[in-house]
Amino acid sequence: MGDFNLALVIVAVVVCIIVFLFNVYLLVNYQHPDDKNQAYFPKLVVVLGLSVAAISILMLPADVANRQACRHAIYNGACNLTLPMKDLWLAVYILDAVLVFFVIPFAMFYYEGDLDKSVGKRIKSALLWMVTTAIVCALILGILYGLVGKVDFTVRHLSSSTTSFPGTWGFNSGQQCIGSGAHQCSAYSASPSSEKTWTMRTTFPEYVVALATIVGSVLFAIFGGVGIACLPLGLIFSFIRRPKAVITRSQYIKEATELGKKAKELKKATESLHQEERSGSKGRKFRKNVKEVEKELFQLEEDVKLLEEMYPQGEKAETSWALTVLGYLAKLVLGILGLVVSVAWVAHIIIYLLIDPPISPFLNEVFIKLDDIWGLLGTAAFAFFCFYLLLAVIAGAMMLGLRLVFVTIHPMKWGATLMNSFLFNVGLILLCSISVIQFCSTAFAYYAQATAAQEIFGHTLESLRGIKYLYKYNVFQIAFVVLAGLTFVYYAAFGWRRRKPSGRFQLSA
């Protein structure tokens, strides 16, 4: 058993290093050219945030493996020699909350600060915003923890008299208890009035994790429900809407001319907005026009990319077209595989979570049987399903394009992602990762039973005063399934249509 734990520690360290290096690779390749060799603090926050999100997802399979380390132990206290998963969970999620509510907002305020100001003034402005956020969050958390920071466990009060040890054992359908006559088992004969509510105050770290989970669960139900459908269907319909053949040179010139006109319009609009910003005019109309320019710029980039695919140029034009065709075929294959996983997820939620009692453990049994084949096969499949759910959340956020407070959600584009969009998406991933873990620990409660994650997200969270009813009545699961169904219908009705290049636009007067 000791060797098993040592191997688990070594695997955990190696995985953390790989995750960190992979996130550095993503940052280097996704960053915008304007951010090269600068904005080092936001980049550090991005790498740290992505690493925490990935590690938190991987911790649930590690928690299952850690539980298995002492499953067959032959002496008491064997589980005390395994990893302290509960402490690790709380540490990771407290770090998650600090990054989401304090560090990332500070990095965003600093990055988006007026470049004409000195570094000291930008730091001061960002600190003021962050301190204000910290004070508001601390007051809200303190008040809520003081008023309703308790868990209510429903228990049954049992009592029974003693009886002499019987000389013979006789049990049947009419006598389930030892003895006869007045001697009965309290557990068998107890009335519903014997149920009591046992109240205790939860720890503050667990309460912070619980509230962060609630915030993330709202986003998770929306983005995850949409993303579980749009992630595979988006790939499949991208293949259906693909360019079927290369266009002629005259068609290319015509389309390129139109896009050139639009690019000039966007350049003039950008210069006009820059002049307004310098004059100090940053009202509602200004912000609306900035959002409109950002939207049109993204649309223009998509139109240019589509045009380049339809008319490849250069000495390797044929090779480029062949790679484009192969890329769409890969999207089709990945889309079909993703569709199978998405359908399995939705079916599992309905079969195991929404129907009471569950019809079948479904995916729980699949993971257990895979573990019987090879020790880590079920754990690997379990990790894949958790990661897929996080990818679905990201895909849903990108599709909806929700606008929150100061920042518009932008897709992370290879070689063209600014740090403010990077930071926002990392914050979204971090916030939703808590809910993904909670959702997975509930959906796979049979497979992940007796883990530290289930103790935190199962017993404590689902018994927290004022919050437990959201989980008791499966509010988030129902919203997830409903939005998934609506998204499937939407793609079935409109997903096959080919997008046409956008037309001219005007800023608000």
Side-chain angles (χ1 to χ4, degrees), residues 92-154:
V92 166
Y93 283 114
I94 290 296
L95 178 59
D96 191 312
V98 170
L99 285 171
V100 169
F101 296 108
F102 302 112
V103 179
I104 289 179
F106 171 79
M108 289 179 65
F109 288 131
Y110 175 78
Y111 179 83
E112 295 180 341
D114 193 343
L115 295 177
D116 295 333
K117 294 181 180 180
S118 64
V119 174
K121 289 184 178 180
R122 290 171 66 187
I123 293 176
K124 181 180 178 181
S125 176
L127 280 174
L128 287 175
W129 279 105
M130 189 194 71
V131 170
T132 302
T133 304
I135 293 174
V136 172
C137 290
L139 287 174
I140 294 174
L141 286 173
I143 292 172
L144 289 176
Y145 181 70
L147 294 177
V148 292
K150 299 178 180 179
V151 288
D152 297 320
F153 296 107
T154 300

Side-chain angles (χ1 to χ4, degrees), residues 64 67-68 71-72 362-382 446-447:
V64 174
R67 176 206 62 191
Q68 293 175 346
R71 184 173 59 179
H72 300 299
F362 195 33
L363 291 177
N364 289 283
E365 286 187 341
V366 174
F367 298 148
I368 292 172
K369 290 179 179 178
L370 289 175
D371 273 336
D372 293 336
I373 298 174
W374 180 55
L376 293 177
L377 191 58
T379 304
F382 177 46
Y446 183 61
Y447 179 72

